[in-house]
Amino acid sequence: MLDYGIFYEFIPMDAFGTPNQKVIPLHEVELFKNYALVITTNSGLWRYLIGDTIRFTSINPYRIVVTGRTKHHINVLEKN
């Protein structure tokens, strides 16, 4: 849903809430790394941290799995 007027940004969970926290655009995400999701909409929602954590399972096409919440996140990587 990249053409719905929503701009997506991602915060790597390994640096979330630290002074080293960095927000990255979609084209810089890595597979199987947990991110906090930040959205901006064309209807006026400006850089909203929705509280969900996600992990990309595919880059082309982009596919994600919701892995938790930013307040209750456990940094665990599943083995395939």
Side-chain angles (χ1 to χ4, degrees):
M1 295 178 29
L2 299 176
D3 59 348
Y4 281 48
I6 300 172
F7 181 72
Y8 297 91
E9 296 174 289
F10 306 90
I11 303 170
M13 284 306 293
D14 56 2
F16 182 79
T18 70
N20 298 329
Q21 178 175 298
K22 179 182 170 189
V23 179
I24 63 171
L26 182 61
H27 71 273
E28 291 183 18
V29 297
E30 299 174 25
L31 287 175
F32 309 112
K33 187 171 185 177
N34 287 309
Y35 295 97
L37 180 58
V38 182
I39 62 171
T40 298
T41 69
N42 60 6
S43 62
L45 190 60
W46 183 253
R47 294 195 87 202
Y48 181 67
L49 180 64
I50 66 171
D52 289 331
T53 60
I54 63 164
R55 182 182 322 138
F56 285 85
T57 59
S58 173
I59 299 294
N60 188 19
Y62 290 108
R63 293 178 194 250
I64 63 168
V65 62
V66 176
T67 57
R69 302 281 297 161
T70 56
K71 300 284 186 197
H72 307 291
H73 181 76
I74 299 173
N75 193 4
V76 176
L77 180 61
E78 288 180 297
K79 297 286 183 182
N80 291 346

